[in-house]
Amino acid sequence: MMNWIWAGLIGVSFVCAICTGRMPELSQAVLDGAENAVTLVISTLGMMCVWTGLMKIAEEGGLTAFLARLLSPLLRRLFPDYAQDSPAARAICMNLTANFLGLGNAATPLGLAAMREMQNARPDRLSTTANNSMAMFVVLNTASIQLIPTFMGTLRAQYGSAAPFDILPAVWLASVGSLVVGIVFAKLLQGRKHKREGKV
């Protein structure tokens, strides 16, 4: 679907440029966009490598284990299927920590690792259907609280913002609101699923 959308945007841009006689501007915009994309990828790649390495150091140094104990009351309620010191709980904690720091795409490998550990902890490992814990984990990742929006701050600084982190109050408010709504609806849907299975 996205391929069709992008193809449509490119086609409309091309037709409009021909009809308005602005093909040189379109060509220059394509070249500038490609140059800016390469610069952006290199700058964000450095940030992702640094923070992913720091997360690995934190794991080896016991920081994630400490955070897992600190977050254990919350994790027990949200993920009752996993013990506090289980590999799945530690992986979930690492991903949540990365999201707290606003690492964006740098949190993706940690999220994949957490999902893999949750799959390994299932009695039916070959199942391709997400269980309640997996669904809740996706909700937490989609609507995560970002204490320090590092990735967004990097983008704003890259594009010349004088105060890249002046968006903090808005980020905190939006993160908390989306997280509360996501958790409430996930719990409600889990309850409906249990009732439906009980009737069957």
Side-chain angles (χ1 to χ4, degrees):
M1 183 63 182
M2 288 302 298
N3 290 336
W4 287 103
I5 292 175
W6 285 115
L9 290 174
I10 294 172
V12 169
S13 301
F14 188 76
V15 171
C16 289
I18 292 177
C19 293
T20 59
R22 303 184 66 182
M23 282 301 294
E25 288 85 349
L26 176 62
S27 301
Q28 187 61 44
V30 170
L31 294 176
D32 292 342
E35 180 181 351
N36 292 334
V38 172
T39 303
L40 179 62
V41 166
I42 292 175
S43 62
T44 54
L45 178 63
M47 183 270 295
M48 289 174 62
C49 290
V50 168
W51 283 104
T52 304
L54 288 176
M55 287 291 102
K56 187 63 177 177
I57 293 172
E59 179 186 13
E60 296 294 333
L63 178 59
T64 54
F66 170 76
L67 289 174
R69 288 193 299 271
L70 189 65
L71 296 174
S72 60
L74 176 63
L75 293 179
R76 274 200 303 268
R77 289 181 176 275
L78 296 179
F79 303 99
D81 298 332
Y82 312 116
Q84 174 182 329
D85 57 346
S86 66
R90 288 197 299 269
I92 291 170
C93 179
M94 286 183 63
N95 178 260
L96 292 180
T97 302
N99 281 319
F100 285 160
L101 297 175
L103 302 187
N105 290 337
T108 301
L110 302 174
L112 294 175
M115 193 66 79
R116 187 163 47 249
E117 292 295 342
M118 285 190 283
Q119 180 69 18
N120 292 335
R122 298 179 66 170
D124 51 342
R125 293 188 181 182
L126 299 180
S127 176
T128 57
T129 303
N131 58 21
N132 288 336
S133 294
M134 291 178 172
M136 179 62 73
F137 182 71
V138 172
V139 169
L140 290 181
N141 271 268
T142 305
S144 61
I145 295 179
Q146 294 189 6
L147 300 180
I148 307 173
T150 307
F151 188 75
M152 185 58 65
T154 302
L155 288 180
R156 285 169 57 83
Q158 177 72 26
Y159 287 103
S161 174
F165 288 101
D166 63 353
I167 57 173
L168 284 179
V171 169
W172 292 338
L173 183 62
S175 297
V176 171
S178 60
L179 183 64
V180 170
V181 171
I183 291 176
V184 168
F185 273 89
K187 287 295 185 181
L188 288 175
L189 292 174
Q190 287 178 13
R192 289 186 60 186
K193 179 183 177 184
H194 291 157
K195 287 182 180 179
R196 188 166 59 248
E197 291 176 348
K199 292 179 180 179
V200 176

